[in-house]
C-alpha cells in the first residue's frame, strides 16, 4: 500500500497520508512505526512534546538498516515546542529532535503553536510541562527567523506552521525570507476548516489534517464531545458501498478536500486500514454528506493556551 503524494511550494513531495505518533504508549510506537513503514507508510508525524522521538527514531533506523526503505524515501516531520521560541533557541531545539530521532535532517520542521512559554526546569516531557509553564511575549515572527536558520544550516529541508490562524499565517508570510510550506491544523468532519484551508491553498501552503478521527483518546475527552462518531449511520452506509470502514471514509474525505490526514494508531490492523484509502473515490454528494457534520467542534481546543496573546482560536 502506498499513499498518493502532493508537491510542496519548495518542490519537495509529501505523502498524502502519514502516521500520527501522539499518545502512543512506550513500546507501542516503536512497533507501530516499524509496521507502518513495512506496509508502505512513508510520512511520520512526530513532535518533541510527544516525548517519544527516540522510540520513533529507533524504529526508523531499523527499517532503513533492514533495507525496507531508504532515508530519502521517508518524509519525517517534527515540531518545535513552545518553550523554545526565541530565535537563538530554535536551532538547538531542532538539533535535540534530530539527535532524538537519530537523523541528520528533518523533512519538515513545524512551529507547533504560535504560543511561547517558559518554565524553570524541564523534568519529564508530559502534560505537566504545559500546566506549569508561563507565557512569554516572544513573537512567532522572531521564532520563524530561527526556523529559517534551520533550513540554512541543512537541519530541515522544509519549514512550516501548526495551529496558526489566517492572520498569523499572513504575518509570517509578510516577514518570511523562506515561505512556510505547511500549516498543520485540526481537520475532521466535525471541523472542516473551509476558510483556513482556502486561505492556505491560495497562498501555496499545504494543509495537514491532525486529529482526523476526532482524537477519541485525548486525555481531556468527555463522552460525545467533539469525537466524530464512527457509528454514524450515514458514514457507515457510504463505507458499505465501497467495502470500507467509517474511518477509511473519513480519511478519504480529508484527502479529497485536499488535506493530508495523519491518523494515529498503534493497532496493526488499523494502521493497515488507515492507509488503504487510495483505491476508491467518494462522489461529490458523499463529500457533501461528510461536510454536513461540521459543527466547528475542536478535539484540541487548547484551553491551556487561552491566556496567551498569541492564542490562535479566537478568530478564523
Ligand atoms: N499539531 C498539533 O497540534 C497536533 C498534532 N496531532 C498529530 O495528529 C495525529 C493524529 O491525531 P490524534 O489526536 O492522535 O487523533 P486521531 O484522530 O488520529 O485518533 C487517534 C485515535 O483513534 C483510534 N483509531 C485510529 N485509527 C482508527 C480506525 N481505523 N478505527 C477506529 N479507531 C481508530 C486510535 O486508537 P488505536 O491506536 O488503538 O488504533 C486513537 O485512539 C497525532 O498522533 C499527532 O501526530 C494531534 C493533535 C494536535
Ligand atoms: O500535538 C499536540 C498534542 O499534544 C499536545 C499536548 O501534549 C498538544 O498541545 C498538541 O497540540
Amino acid at each position: 500500500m502506498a499513499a498518493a503524494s502532493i508537491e510542496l511550494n519548495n518542490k519537495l513531495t509529501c505523502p498524502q497520508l502519514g502516521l500520527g505518533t501522539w499518545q502512543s504508549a512506550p513500546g507501542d510506537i516503536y512497533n507501530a512505526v516499524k509496521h507502518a513503514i513495512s506496509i508502505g507508510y512513508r510520512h511520520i508525524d512526530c513532535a518533541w512534546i510527544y516525548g517519544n522521538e527516540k522510540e520513533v527514531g529507533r524504529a526508523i533506523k531499523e527499517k532503513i538498516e533492514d533495507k525496507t526503505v531508504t532515508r530519502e524515501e521517508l518524509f519525517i516531520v517534527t515540531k518545535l515546542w513552545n518553550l523554545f521560541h526565541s530565535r537563538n533557541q530554535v536551532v538547538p531545539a531542532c538539533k535535540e529532535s534530530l539527535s532524538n530521532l537519530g537523523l541528520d535532517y528533518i523533512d519538515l520542521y513545524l512551529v507547533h503553536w504560535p504560543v511561547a512559554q517558559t518554565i524553570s526546569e524541564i523534568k519529564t516531557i508530559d502534560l505537566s510541562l504545559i500546566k506549569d509553564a508561563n507565557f512569554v511575549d516572544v513573537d512567532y515572527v522572531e521564532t520563524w527567523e530561527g526556523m529559517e536558520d534551520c533550513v540554512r544550516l541543512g537541519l530541515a529541508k522544509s519549514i512550516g506552521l501548526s495551529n496558526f490562524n489566517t492572520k498569523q499565517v499572513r504575518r509570517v508570510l509578510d516577514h518570511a525570507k523562506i515561505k512556510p510550506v505547511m500549516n498543520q491544523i485540526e481537520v475532521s468532519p466535525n471541523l472542516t476548516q473551509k476558510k483556513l484551508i482556502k486561505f492556505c491553498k491560495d497562498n501555496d501552503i499545504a494543509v495537514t489534517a491532525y486529529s482526523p478521527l476526532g482524537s477519541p483518546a485525548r486525555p481531556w475527552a468527555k463522552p460525545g464531545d467533539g469525537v466524530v462518531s464512527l457509528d454514524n449511520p450515514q458514514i457507515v452506509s457510504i463505507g458499505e458501498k465501497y467495502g470500507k470502514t467509517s474511518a477509511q471514509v473519513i480519511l478519504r474525505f480529508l484527502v479529497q478536500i485536499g488535506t493530508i490526514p495523519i491518523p494515529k494508531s498503534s493497532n496493526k490492523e488499523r494502521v493497515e486500514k488507515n492507509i488503504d484509502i487510495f483505491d476508491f473515490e467518494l462522489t461529490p454528494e458523499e463529500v457533501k454528506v461528510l461536510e454536513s457534520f461540521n459543527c466547528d467542534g475542536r478535539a484540541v481546543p487548547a484551553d491551556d493556551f487561552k491566556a496567551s496573546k498569541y492564542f490562535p482560536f479566537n478568530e478564523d
Side-chain angles (χ1 to χ4, degrees):
M1 279 169 265
S5 286
I6 62 157
E7 190 178 87
L8 305 176
N9 69 29
N10 62 355
K11 304 292 174 211
L12 276 192
T13 53
C14 172
Q16 211 182 348
L17 185 124
L19 181 75
T21 63
W22 179 39
Q23 296 194 106
S24 293
D28 283 3
I29 194 60
Y30 164 77
N31 291 320
V33 171
K34 277 187 82 173
H35 183 60
I37 293 175
S38 297
I39 61 141
Y41 281 67
R42 296 293 175 260
H43 173 172
I44 315 286
D45 182 75
C46 315
W48 180 87
I49 191 69
Y50 302 160
N52 56 15
E53 286 176 319
K54 283 186 185 165
E55 267 190 87
V56 173
R58 197 156 55 85
I60 292 171
K61 184 169 180 271
E62 288 181 23
K63 292 320 285 177
I64 293 174
E65 277 173 3
D66 77 8
K67 304 218 182 318
T68 305
V69 79
T70 62
R71 171 67 188 94
E72 295 68 36
E73 286 166 335
L74 291 171
F75 190 88
I76 309 297
V77 183
T78 196
K79 313 187 194 90
L80 174 79
W81 188 242
N82 307 354
L83 296 172
F84 314 116
H85 271 217
S86 295
R87 181 174 181 173
N88 64 5
Q89 292 177 300
V90 179
V91 165
C94 183
K95 285 183 175 167
E96 184 179 327
S97 282
L98 281 171
S99 159
N100 288 342
L101 288 161
L103 301 174
D104 36 77
Y105 69 89
I106 295 163
D107 295 273
L108 174 59
Y109 197 39
L110 302 175
V111 183
H112 204 142
W113 288 90
V115 170
Q117 293 181 283
T118 189
I119 197 163
S120 52
E121 193 190 354
I122 298 171
K123 291 187 197 122
T124 48
I125 306 179
D126 59 18
L127 283 176
S128 72
L129 273 189
I130 296 178
K131 304 265 180 220
D132 298 344
N134 295 312
F135 296 113
V136 277
D137 187 0
V138 182
D139 190 330
Y140 50 80
V141 165
E142 172 185 331
T143 312
W144 190 252
E145 291 173 357
M147 299 295 281
E148 293 174 329
D149 295 337
C150 295
V151 176
R152 289 187 197 106
L153 291 168
L155 306 175
K157 297 243 185 237
S158 336
I159 47 177
L161 309 168
S162 175
N163 295 302
F164 278 55
N165 67 29
T166 305
K167 271 195 197 156
Q168 293 169 330
V169 176
R170 165 60 46 222
R171 271 195 78 226
V172 172
L173 284 172
D174 287 345
H175 290 83
K177 297 195 178 60
I178 303 173
K179 263 180 80 162
V181 302
M182 184 74 71
N183 193 13
Q184 180 177 127
I185 55 174
E186 183 177 342
V187 192
S188 76
N190 276 357
L191 183 67
T192 49
Q193 299 266 31
K194 273 195 161 177
K195 277 193 196 159
L196 184 50
I197 293 174
K198 181 175 185 315
F199 174 81
C200 289
K201 297 275 147 142
D202 288 349
N203 286 283
D204 213 5
I205 295 173
V207 172
T208 298
Y210 78 63
S211 302
L213 305 173
S215 197
R218 65 194 185 281
W220 49 88
K222 297 191 279 303
D225 145 42
V227 178
V228 183
S229 171
L230 298 179
D231 299 326
N232 180 289
Q234 282 173 287
I235 306 181
V236 170
S237 138
I238 294 172
E240 280 168 356
K241 174 175 159 194
Y242 299 104
K244 297 288 178 184
T245 65
S246 299
Q248 288 172 311
V249 169
I250 290 170
L251 296 170
R252 179 70 211 178
F253 159 71
L254 293 170
V255 164
Q256 285 186 218
I257 62 169
T259 68
I260 304 164
I262 47 168
K264 173 264 167 184
S265 180
S266 32
N267 169 285
K268 269 192 166 184
E269 196 189 329
R270 291 193 281 276
V271 167
E272 286 167 23
K273 287 237 174 341
N274 289 349
I275 198 172
D276 186 16
I277 59 159
F278 293 94
D279 59 352
F280 75 111
E281 180 144 1
L282 302 172
T283 65
E285 293 72 32
E286 288 162 347
V287 169
K288 283 207 179 85
V289 171
L290 272 290
E291 281 175 340
S292 74
F293 300 120
N294 180 50
C295 57
D296 293 333
R298 287 183 188 277
V300 183
D303 291 339
D304 288 327
F305 300 153
K306 267 195 176 150
S308 163
K309 72 185 263 197
Y310 300 111
F311 181 69
F313 302 152
N314 287 330
E315 45 196 329
D316 272 341

